Amino acid sequence: MKLVAAYLLLTVGGNTSPSAEDVKKLLSTVGVEADESRLTKLIEELNGKNLEELIAQGTEKLASVPSASAAAAPAAGAAPAAAAEEAPKKEEAKEESDDDMGLGLFD
């Protein structure tokens, strides 16, 4: 993903056909080494292609895939939220029980 992100950043920045060296140079500015074989494959696959069209095609493919897990995701997301809501209630109850011990400074 780092390679693709760097490639896309270069194209957004005005370099219409970034080379492997351009991608390496960009990644080196943030201390990341590029995997040579993956970078070569990426450059070969994207060479001469319009990125906007590729992104549009990919979006269409993703939109046509049925996603049963997408319906389960909100339900799964609700469970941690419910658990997070319960946790403060338990802490509040614990604080209240500390007050009942009669260890106040000015009692």
Side-chain angles (χ1 to χ4, degrees), residues 8 12 17-18 24 63 71 83:
L8 290 173
V12 168
S17 183
K24 283 182 188 178

Side-chain angles (χ1 to χ4, degrees), residues 20-62:
E21 292 304 315
D22 294 333
V23 174
K24 283 182 188 178
K25 184 177 177 182
L26 177 62
L27 289 174
S28 70
T29 62
V30 292
V32 175
E33 270 189 49
D35 180 9
E36 191 68 36
S37 62
R38 289 184 176 186
L39 180 58
T40 303
K41 182 163 177 65
L42 175 73
I43 298 298
E44 288 173 359
E45 293 289 327
L46 296 178
N47 190 19
K49 295 183 180 175
N50 184 338
L51 288 178
E52 291 175 1
E53 290 175 6
L54 290 175
I55 292 170
Q57 290 171 359
T59 303
E60 289 174 14
K61 287 180 183 179
L62 286 175

